[in-house]
Structures are given as structure tokens and as C-alpha cells.
Amino acid sequence: MLGALGQVVMYLVPFLLVLTVVVTIHELGHFLTGRLFGVKMDRFSIGFGPTLLSRTDKRGVEWRLAALPLGGYVRFAGDLDATGVPDRKGLDALKARIQADEGPGAERDYLYFKPVWQRALIVAAGPVANFILAILLFTILFSAVGVQLRPPRVADVAVESPAAAAGFQRGDLITQINGRAVEDGRDVIRIVSLSSGDPVRFVVERGDQQVQLVATPVREVTQDPIAGRVSIGRIGLGLASARDEIRHVRYGVVESVGQGVRQTGEVLSTTLTYLGRIFTGRENGDQLSGPIGIAKASGALTNAAVQANPDPTAMAMNLLLTLTSFAAILSIGIGFLNLLPIPVLDGGHLVFYAYEAVTRQPLPAGIQEAGFRVGLALLACFMLFATWNDLQKLNLFQFLGGLVS
């Protein structure tokens, strides 16, 4: 019983901690940009549910710590509906109410009566804050810890594999993929895993020669220690760097910022590539994860960090570094998800504001309501699909089937 409880704690606590930090930064992006433009706000909450601590500042904003650490939110004064983009009738009613309570001109302090470009910036500031957080965290990791670069040296070529058919040989050093220079074996794995069915162009260093090879990855199901059971592209190469080839690089502050931007861009690029392949039928989407999968990944990372070194100081440092890296990845994911043009998300609000900027009036209430319902349905379908993936990777259905039989 205690062992099971310990596993629950190992999986849930790091996930909730990181999620709360990342979502709080997202909401701070909205909040600080709103304050920059003089928008009146009622509440900034860390967590949901019953209030644990609360205080109201001199601007009338309630700062609140709630019982459920599942993120947080900022509530702008005068919120009318769930879409956050009221139509003309709703705006007129809100304006009349504000003027009756606070006097003429008071409506100018409310979000809905700010110029559309300011509202758009306030909405976009949430995802932007997530990307800035990721860059900052990556910068800290690159400057304080650095990175270990393992050149992609070919140690083994599987028989009758795409790599063997392409002409790879043991000892080849991969220097380019699809015209892009590579220094680390992880870059090779990342690109190949998302290229099943597509020819991949390699340049390898063989002795004093540069040899060009083309291999087409085939999709294989594999058990990843973090992600679980997933299908990825493989060409049948085993990579292993010689001891004297492995380099540990720590970057200066300026270089670390550049590396942080590059790393954030690569994560976004990989995400877009994977989603594009799903929509074109070249991936089945089994790498998409919901809360269960993300919690499992955070638990696995935490467990690995704890077991890496029994020394308490080293254990704490490994745990801190692991959660920092996890927070950066999760922050990018939340920022990207919120930019999708779905009405209930920030991206959907930006679409509404774009319409308003062009037509000089907000969308009619009926269209907003329909968009809101469609957006909720899309999000529900996405969460169901991602949760199904998570349960499949955990082999839950096979387990239940065994119980029934």
C-alpha cells in the first residue's frame, strides 16, 4: 500500500508542481500585459477550488491561492461570457452598466473597450510568456550545466535494414541530414523517428571521403522508457560515439540564449511536423499524450533523477535539473496548444479579434456561441484521443481483459 502511494506521489507531485508553475507564468503574461494597458482586473488565482489564502491589493485585484494545484487563471473585470469576446449587444449592455455604477468614461478601463490591437496583445501574451519561460529555462541549463555532445558514429548496421540497403557502414560518421549539419546522435534519432516512409538524405564521413546516402525509415513499434509504447521511424542503425569523441560543452550567457531560442524552435518545429504528418495520414498520432501520459513521463523522469545518484545533494540537483527541463518542454506545449485557432483557446480569441479588426465590429453572438461549442467539442475529442493513447501505452485494456477472462 505504501509502495503504491509512493508511486502516486512520485508521478503526481512533480507533474502538478510543474504544471502550476507553467500555467501561472502563462496567466502572468495576460495579467502583466493587461496591466501595461491599464486594464481593470478582479482576480489572479494560483490553483482552483476553495481558497487557502487571499489578499486584495490597492488596485482591487484579489491575489488568491486555491486548494487544487491544477494551474490558475486571471479574471478581467466585466467578464460577460465564456468566449471572452462579447458581441455588440453585450458590449452596449456592459457599457451602460459600468457607466451607471462608475460614471461616464469608466468603461475605458475594461478589457472589452480597449483597442482591438491591445486586446490581441493581451491574449497573445500568455503563449508568448510560455515561450519566453522555455527559452529562459533552456538558457539556464545550457549555461549552468551545458550539454554532452555525442557525435553520431555508426556502430552497427542491421541486416536487411533500410540503412544496409542505403550503404551505411560501421565507422561512418553522420555529418548532415537533409542538408542540415548534425553534431549529436539525438538529432539523428529525432529526425529519423519522424520520417517514416519519407526518403532521408545523409552525408557521412568515411575515412577522408564525404559519402551521400539515402535511406527511407520504416515504422516500428517500440517501448520508450518515458513515452511508453509508440510507433516511430527506424532505419536499422546503431549509434555509439568513441570515448574521445564525446564533448561536454558549456555555453556563455549570450550563446546560451541563442541555444535556448534554437531549442525552443526545434521543439515547435518537431511538433508542427508531427501534427502535419498526422493530418496527411503518415502518422497515427500515438505519440500525442494527455494528462495521464504527461504525469507518467514526469514520474519516470523524476524516478530516473532520484536513482541516478544516491547522494542526497546530487539527487536534489538531478531532480531540479530534470524538472527544469521538463518544465521547459511543457511550457512550449502549453503555449503552442493555446495558439491553436480553436474558439475557447487564445488562438480562437485572436481569430475573433482579427475578424473585428477587419470588419470594425465583433462577431455576432450566434456565431460566437457556435464557435465556442465547436471548440469545446474539438478539445474534448483531442483529450479523449490523447487519454486513449495514454491508456493504450499503459496496457490497461490488456490488463482488464486478463481480469475478465
mmCIF file of all heavy atoms in Angstrom, residues 198-222:
data_model
loop_
_atom_site.group_PDB
_atom_site.id
_atom_site.type_symbol
_atom_site.label_atom_id
_atom_site.label_comp_id
_atom_site.label_asym_id
_atom_site.label_seq_id
_atom_site.Cartn_x
_atom_site.Cartn_y
_atom_site.Cartn_z
ATOM 1 N N ASP A 198 9.407 8.488 -45.704
ATOM 2 C CA ASP A 198 9.994 9.582 -46.475
ATOM 3 C C ASP A 198 11.501 9.365 -46.635
ATOM 4 O O ASP A 198 12.189 9.093 -45.636
ATOM 5 C CB ASP A 198 9.769 10.928 -45.781
ATOM 6 C CG ASP A 198 8.302 11.301 -45.688
ATOM 7 O OD1 ASP A 198 7.515 10.786 -46.512
ATOM 8 O OD2 ASP A 198 7.947 12.091 -44.804
ATOM 9 N N PRO A 199 12.041 9.481 -47.841
ATOM 10 C CA PRO A 199 13.486 9.340 -48.025
ATOM 11 C C PRO A 199 14.237 10.414 -47.231
ATOM 12 O O PRO A 199 13.860 11.581 -47.243
ATOM 13 C CB PRO A 199 13.681 9.534 -49.536
ATOM 14 C CG PRO A 199 12.347 9.253 -50.139
ATOM 15 C CD PRO A 199 11.343 9.717 -49.119
ATOM 16 N N VAL A 200 15.291 10.006 -46.542
ATOM 17 C CA VAL A 200 16.117 10.918 -45.756
ATOM 18 C C VAL A 200 17.521 10.912 -46.352
ATOM 19 O O VAL A 200 18.120 9.857 -46.550
ATOM 20 C CB VAL A 200 16.177 10.494 -44.274
ATOM 21 C CG1 VAL A 200 17.066 11.452 -43.473
ATOM 22 C CG2 VAL A 200 14.775 10.465 -43.677
ATOM 23 N N ARG A 201 18.033 12.108 -46.647
ATOM 24 C CA ARG A 201 19.359 12.245 -47.269
ATOM 25 C C ARG A 201 20.419 12.446 -46.189
ATOM 26 O O ARG A 201 20.318 13.340 -45.364
ATOM 27 C CB ARG A 201 19.361 13.422 -48.246
ATOM 28 C CG ARG A 201 18.431 13.231 -49.443
ATOM 29 C CD ARG A 201 18.377 14.461 -50.331
ATOM 30 N NE ARG A 201 17.673 15.562 -49.673
ATOM 31 C CZ ARG A 201 18.259 16.644 -49.220
ATOM 32 N NH1 ARG A 201 19.587 16.790 -49.308
ATOM 33 N NH2 ARG A 201 17.544 17.599 -48.642
ATOM 34 N N PHE A 202 21.429 11.593 -46.223
ATOM 35 C CA PHE A 202 22.526 11.651 -45.263
ATOM 36 C C PHE A 202 23.831 11.984 -45.972
ATOM 37 O O PHE A 202 24.029 11.606 -47.132
ATOM 38 C CB PHE A 202 22.716 10.302 -44.558
ATOM 39 C CG PHE A 202 21.551 9.852 -43.730
ATOM 40 C CD1 PHE A 202 20.491 9.160 -44.298
ATOM 41 C CD2 PHE A 202 21.518 10.103 -42.367
ATOM 42 C CE1 PHE A 202 19.423 8.733 -43.532
ATOM 43 C CE2 PHE A 202 20.449 9.687 -41.594
ATOM 44 C CZ PHE A 202 19.408 8.994 -42.179
ATOM 45 N N VAL A 203 24.693 12.682 -45.263
ATOM 46 C CA VAL A 203 26.092 12.819 -45.676
ATOM 47 C C VAL A 203 26.923 12.239 -44.540
ATOM 48 O O VAL A 203 26.763 12.628 -43.378
ATOM 49 C CB VAL A 203 26.489 14.285 -45.922
ATOM 50 C CG1 VAL A 203 27.990 14.382 -46.220
ATOM 51 C CG2 VAL A 203 25.688 14.866 -47.086
ATOM 52 N N VAL A 204 27.785 11.259 -44.892
ATOM 53 C CA VAL A 204 28.609 10.620 -43.868
ATOM 54 C C VAL A 204 30.081 10.819 -44.207
ATOM 55 O O VAL A 204 30.465 10.947 -45.370
ATOM 56 C CB VAL A 204 28.287 9.117 -43.728
ATOM 57 C CG1 VAL A 204 26.821 8.906 -43.399
ATOM 58 C CG2 VAL A 204 28.685 8.356 -44.983
ATOM 59 N N GLU A 205 30.856 10.852 -43.148
ATOM 60 C CA GLU A 205 32.308 10.945 -43.280
ATOM 61 C C GLU A 205 32.864 9.532 -43.183
ATOM 62 O O GLU A 205 32.726 8.869 -42.150
ATOM 63 C CB GLU A 205 32.861 11.820 -42.149
ATOM 64 C CG GLU A 205 34.202 12.442 -42.425
ATOM 65 C CD GLU A 205 34.582 13.400 -41.306
ATOM 66 O OE1 GLU A 205 35.093 12.899 -40.269
ATOM 67 O OE2 GLU A 205 34.327 14.611 -41.437
ATOM 68 N N ARG A 206 33.454 9.063 -44.251
ATOM 69 C CA ARG A 206 34.005 7.700 -44.298
ATOM 70 C C ARG A 206 35.484 7.805 -44.660
ATOM 71 O O ARG A 206 35.843 8.011 -45.819
ATOM 72 C CB ARG A 206 33.254 6.857 -45.316
ATOM 73 C CG ARG A 206 33.692 5.400 -45.400
ATOM 74 C CD ARG A 206 32.826 4.653 -46.390
ATOM 75 N NE ARG A 206 31.419 4.608 -45.972
ATOM 76 C CZ ARG A 206 30.424 4.226 -46.778
ATOM 77 N NH1 ARG A 206 30.687 3.903 -48.045
ATOM 78 N NH2 ARG A 206 29.187 4.204 -46.338
ATOM 79 N N GLY A 207 36.330 7.716 -43.605
ATOM 80 C CA GLY A 207 37.750 7.966 -43.839
ATOM 81 C C GLY A 207 37.950 9.432 -44.188
ATOM 82 O O GLY A 207 37.537 10.328 -43.452
ATOM 83 N N ASP A 208 38.542 9.687 -45.333
ATOM 84 C CA ASP A 208 38.737 11.061 -45.785
ATOM 85 C C ASP A 208 37.757 11.438 -46.886
ATOM 86 O O ASP A 208 37.950 12.416 -47.599
ATOM 87 C CB ASP A 208 40.176 11.259 -46.278
ATOM 88 C CG ASP A 208 40.544 10.305 -47.412
ATOM 89 O OD1 ASP A 208 39.712 9.440 -47.753
ATOM 90 O OD2 ASP A 208 41.663 10.431 -47.948
ATOM 91 N N GLN A 209 36.681 10.676 -47.017
ATOM 92 C CA GLN A 209 35.679 10.920 -48.062
ATOM 93 C C GLN A 209 34.348 11.362 -47.469
ATOM 94 O O GLN A 209 33.997 11.015 -46.342
ATOM 95 C CB GLN A 209 35.448 9.659 -48.911
ATOM 96 C CG GLN A 209 36.665 9.209 -49.715
ATOM 97 C CD GLN A 209 36.340 7.991 -50.563
ATOM 98 O OE1 GLN A 209 35.534 7.145 -50.174
ATOM 99 N NE2 GLN A 209 36.981 7.898 -51.718
ATOM 100 N N GLN A 210 33.607 12.146 -48.253
ATOM 101 C CA GLN A 210 32.233 12.514 -47.935
ATOM 102 C C GLN A 210 31.316 11.692 -48.838
ATOM 103 O O GLN A 210 31.377 11.796 -50.059
ATOM 104 C CB GLN A 210 31.995 14.014 -48.174
ATOM 105 C CG GLN A 210 32.847 14.933 -47.326
ATOM 106 C CD GLN A 210 32.380 14.961 -45.884
ATOM 107 O OE1 GLN A 210 31.180 14.981 -45.605
ATOM 108 N NE2 GLN A 210 33.330 14.948 -44.956
ATOM 109 N N VAL A 211 30.466 10.876 -48.228
ATOM 110 C CA VAL A 211 29.611 9.967 -48.983
ATOM 111 C C VAL A 211 28.150 10.338 -48.747
ATOM 112 O O VAL A 211 27.738 10.557 -47.604
ATOM 113 C CB VAL A 211 29.843 8.496 -48.560
ATOM 114 C CG1 VAL A 211 28.948 7.560 -49.374
ATOM 115 C CG2 VAL A 211 31.307 8.124 -48.724
ATOM 116 N N GLN A 212 27.391 10.431 -49.824
ATOM 117 C CA GLN A 212 25.968 10.749 -49.732
ATOM 118 C C GLN A 212 25.150 9.464 -49.816
ATOM 119 O O GLN A 212 25.352 8.645 -50.725
ATOM 120 C CB GLN A 212 25.552 11.712 -50.843
ATOM 121 C CG GLN A 212 26.267 13.061 -50.777
ATOM 122 C CD GLN A 212 25.725 14.058 -51.782
ATOM 123 O OE1 GLN A 212 24.629 13.873 -52.320
ATOM 124 N NE2 GLN A 212 26.474 15.120 -52.022
ATOM 125 N N LEU A 213 24.227 9.294 -48.874
ATOM 126 C CA LEU A 213 23.389 8.103 -48.801
ATOM 127 C C LEU A 213 21.928 8.515 -48.609
ATOM 128 O O LEU A 213 21.647 9.576 -48.039
ATOM 129 C CB LEU A 213 23.820 7.214 -47.629
ATOM 130 C CG LEU A 213 25.292 6.782 -47.587
ATOM 131 C CD1 LEU A 213 25.596 6.090 -46.260
ATOM 132 C CD2 LEU A 213 25.616 5.874 -48.754
ATOM 133 N N VAL A 214 21.026 7.686 -49.074
ATOM 134 C CA VAL A 214 19.591 7.935 -48.912
ATOM 135 C C VAL A 214 18.945 6.691 -48.327
ATOM 136 O O VAL A 214 19.092 5.593 -48.871
ATOM 137 C CB VAL A 214 18.910 8.307 -50.245
ATOM 138 C CG1 VAL A 214 17.410 8.523 -50.039
ATOM 139 C CG2 VAL A 214 19.545 9.551 -50.848
ATOM 140 N N ALA A 215 18.227 6.863 -47.207
ATOM 141 C CA ALA A 215 17.528 5.757 -46.569
ATOM 142 C C ALA A 215 16.107 6.188 -46.227
ATOM 143 O O ALA A 215 15.873 7.336 -45.843
ATOM 144 C CB ALA A 215 18.258 5.318 -45.297
ATOM 145 N N THR A 216 15.163 5.260 -46.373
ATOM 146 C CA THR A 216 13.759 5.544 -46.058
ATOM 147 C C THR A 216 13.365 4.800 -44.789
ATOM 148 O O THR A 216 13.304 3.564 -44.785
ATOM 149 C CB THR A 216 12.842 5.113 -47.217
ATOM 150 O OG1 THR A 216 13.227 5.801 -48.413
ATOM 151 C CG2 THR A 216 11.385 5.446 -46.890
ATOM 152 N N PRO A 217 13.122 5.527 -43.693
ATOM 153 C CA PRO A 217 12.755 4.861 -42.434
ATOM 154 C C PRO A 217 11.447 4.090 -42.559
ATOM 155 O O PRO A 217 10.532 4.489 -43.283
ATOM 156 C CB PRO A 217 12.604 6.023 -41.452
ATOM 157 C CG PRO A 217 13.399 7.149 -42.045
ATOM 158 C CD PRO A 217 13.256 6.990 -43.529
ATOM 159 N N VAL A 218 11.381 2.966 -41.859
ATOM 160 C CA VAL A 218 10.147 2.185 -41.766
ATOM 161 C C VAL A 218 9.603 2.325 -40.346
ATOM 162 O O VAL A 218 10.357 2.487 -39.390
ATOM 163 C CB VAL A 218 10.392 0.699 -42.102
ATOM 164 C CG1 VAL A 218 10.809 0.559 -43.551
ATOM 165 C CG2 VAL A 218 11.455 0.099 -41.184
ATOM 166 N N ARG A 219 8.289 2.271 -40.217
ATOM 167 C CA ARG A 219 7.672 2.460 -38.905
ATOM 168 C C ARG A 219 7.751 1.172 -38.096
ATOM 169 O O ARG A 219 7.395 0.093 -38.567
ATOM 170 C CB ARG A 219 6.223 2.900 -39.062
ATOM 171 C CG ARG A 219 5.528 3.192 -37.739
ATOM 172 C CD ARG A 219 4.130 3.711 -37.960
ATOM 173 N NE ARG A 219 4.162 4.991 -38.645
ATOM 174 C CZ ARG A 219 3.138 5.501 -39.315
ATOM 175 N NH1 ARG A 219 2.021 4.813 -39.430
ATOM 176 N NH2 ARG A 219 3.239 6.668 -39.898
ATOM 177 N N GLU A 220 8.210 1.315 -36.863
ATOM 178 C CA GLU A 220 8.289 0.181 -35.945
ATOM 179 C C GLU A 220 7.701 0.590 -34.602
ATOM 180 O O GLU A 220 7.805 1.748 -34.193
ATOM 181 C CB GLU A 220 9.744 -0.263 -35.739
ATOM 182 C CG GLU A 220 10.407 -0.831 -36.974
ATOM 183 C CD GLU A 220 11.820 -1.297 -36.695
ATOM 184 O OE1 GLU A 220 12.234 -1.248 -35.516
ATOM 185 O OE2 GLU A 220 12.520 -1.691 -37.645
ATOM 186 N N VAL A 221 7.112 -0.380 -33.922
ATOM 187 C CA VAL A 221 6.586 -0.143 -32.577
ATOM 188 C C VAL A 221 7.689 -0.433 -31.574
ATOM 189 O O VAL A 221 8.335 -1.486 -31.634
ATOM 190 C CB VAL A 221 5.357 -1.022 -32.289
ATOM 191 C CG1 VAL A 221 4.876 -0.823 -30.856
ATOM 192 C CG2 VAL A 221 4.238 -0.713 -33.272
ATOM 193 N N THR A 222 7.927 0.510 -30.684
ATOM 194 C CA THR A 222 8.989 0.359 -29.692
ATOM 195 C C THR A 222 8.486 0.784 -28.317
ATOM 196 O O THR A 222 7.506 1.526 -28.209
ATOM 197 C CB THR A 222 10.222 1.198 -30.081
ATOM 198 O OG1 THR A 222 11.285 0.963 -29.156
ATOM 199 C CG2 THR A 222 9.896 2.680 -30.080
#
